[in-house]
């Protein structure tokens, strides 16, 4: 385990595996190492193939610190610091709303060599203002459990009966602990969704990129991936058969190896 300190004083905790070209993994809403074993396994497998793989807790989660007020630029600075720690250059691999951070880092030109974006959840014109207001109200009242339930049902769209059983799972308390950071992800998603010109927004993201989606994922996610890929100057598309919103290491590692070694 290692740490960096971002410009605003936030300590970011990370694990580093292997030795070679660097790849940094950034999770989506509420994901972090304690409850995201899939990303950790993917990082370790990639390290065994000759890469340096960095798996970190985003600010406000797990062993990393947090500094208010939040801004997408601050999360981008966290990743820029990890890139520096990795030697000054790295590919970025993201899941879901982690894509917003990677795209911000790439726009800033902070040593990003390539992007692997798995199911960026962006839908042009879709406002998250109502969701953000509801989450702010719940979190202000200390109702983190209800905020996480709201996120899963009203934002993600899982059936209420499926969510009702989640509190019995071992990882539920860890998910609820990260509930305040839902505002981070959904604020960034809202900003991207309501931006009328993604091509201009991401014009500087000229490094090679691949935008992936699963073959058995939520409705609309493949179309969202299509739209993001079309807006990026140098992106290709890949569909991973049989995968949902969080791909298995067995499905993801071959894609990473093919893309990063090409």
């Amino acid at each position: 385990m290692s740490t960096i300190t971002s410009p605003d004083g936030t300590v970011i905790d990370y694990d580093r595996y292997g030795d070679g070209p660097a790849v940094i993994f950034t999770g989506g809403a509420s994901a972090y190492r304690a409850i995201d074993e899939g990303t950790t396994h993917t990082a370790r497998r990639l390290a065994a193939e000759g890469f340096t793989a960095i798996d970190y807790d985003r600010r406000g989660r797990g062993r990393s610190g947090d500094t208010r007020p939040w801004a997408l630029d601050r999360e981008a600075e966290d990743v820029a610091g990890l890139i520096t720690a990795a030697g000054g250059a790295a590919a970025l691999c993201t899941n879901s709303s982690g894509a917003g951070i990677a795209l911000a880092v790439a726009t800033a030109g902070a040593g990003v060599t390539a992007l692997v974006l798995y199911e960026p959840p962006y839908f042009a014109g879709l406002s998250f203002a109502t969701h953000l207001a509801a989450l702010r109200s719940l979190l202000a009242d200390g109702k983190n459990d209800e905020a996480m339930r709201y996120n899963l049902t009203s934002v993600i769209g899982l059936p209420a009966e499926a969510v009702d059983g989640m509190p019995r799972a071992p990882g539920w308390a860890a998910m609820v602990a990260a509930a305040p950071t839902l505002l981070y992800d959904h604020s960034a998603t809202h900003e991207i969704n309501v931006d009328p010109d993604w091509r201009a927004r991401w014009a500087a993201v000229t490094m090679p990129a691949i935008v992936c989606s699963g073959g058995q994922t939520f409705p609309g996610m493949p179309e969202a991936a299509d739209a993001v890929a079309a807006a990026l100057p140098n992106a290709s598309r890949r569909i991973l058969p049989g995968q949902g919103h969080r791909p298995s290491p067995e499905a993801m590692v071959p894609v990473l190896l093919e893309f990063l070694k090409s």
Side-chain angles (χ1 to χ4, degrees):
M1 294 180 290
S2 302
T3 63
I4 61 162
T5 301
S6 270
D8 69 349
T10 304
V11 174
I12 302 299
D13 193 285
Y14 67 96
D15 291 312
R16 176 173 178 154
Y17 307 102
D19 186 24
V23 182
I24 297 172
F25 291 84
T26 299
S30 75
Y32 60 107
R33 286 171 295 174
I35 54 176
D36 185 12
E37 294 181 355
T39 296
T40 299
H41 290 160
T42 298
R44 286 174 170 167
R45 291 188 183 203
L46 197 65
E49 297 287 344
F51 289 84
T52 293
I54 292 178
D55 186 17
Y56 77 103
D57 287 343
R58 287 174 52 187
R59 58 173 56 209
R61 310 178 192 192
R63 294 194 295 267
S64 289
D66 201 6
T67 304
R68 304 293 176 88
W70 174 87
L72 180 59
D73 287 347
R74 301 294 80 74
E75 291 224 47
E77 288 171 352
D78 299 342
V79 175
L82 292 169
I83 292 174
T84 298
L92 306 182
C93 180
T94 71
N95 180 259
S96 192
S97 52
I101 301 168
L103 289 165
V105 180
T107 298
V112 179
T113 59
L115 294 173
V116 181
L117 310 178
Y118 189 87
E119 298 202 349
Y122 305 128
F123 299 86
L126 180 62
S127 173
F128 268 35
T130 299
H131 293 318
L132 286 167
L135 287 168
R136 286 192 185 100
S137 177
L138 290 168
L139 293 167
D141 291 339
K143 298 178 179 179
N144 289 20
D145 187 287
E146 292 183 35
M148 184 56 68
R149 289 171 182 264
Y150 178 90
N151 177 66
L152 294 170
T153 55
S154 298
V155 181
I156 296 178
L158 295 178
E161 56 271 21
V163 176
D164 286 343
M166 288 185 178
R168 294 190 291 272
W172 179 253
M175 284 183 66
V176 170
T181 66
L182 292 170
L183 293 175
Y184 302 175
D185 287 80
H186 296 325
S187 293
T189 296
H190 174 78
E191 178 187 322
I192 291 170
N193 283 355
V194 300
D195 187 331
D197 190 353
W198 290 356
R199 287 186 181 276
R201 181 186 187 93
W202 296 323
V205 185
T206 56
M207 66 287 297
I210 184 169
V211 184
C212 302
S213 60
Q216 295 182 0
T217 189
F218 298 122
M221 295 311 303
E223 291 78 11
D226 289 342
V228 171
L232 294 174
N234 190 20
S236 59
R237 271 283 282 126
R238 178 72 66 86
I239 297 175
L240 278 59
Q243 299 303 300
H245 192 51
R246 291 193 178 184
S248 69
E250 293 78 11
M252 201 65 204
V253 171
V255 174
L256 287 166
L257 292 176
E258 177 185 345
F259 177 66
L260 296 175
K261 289 186 174 182
S262 61

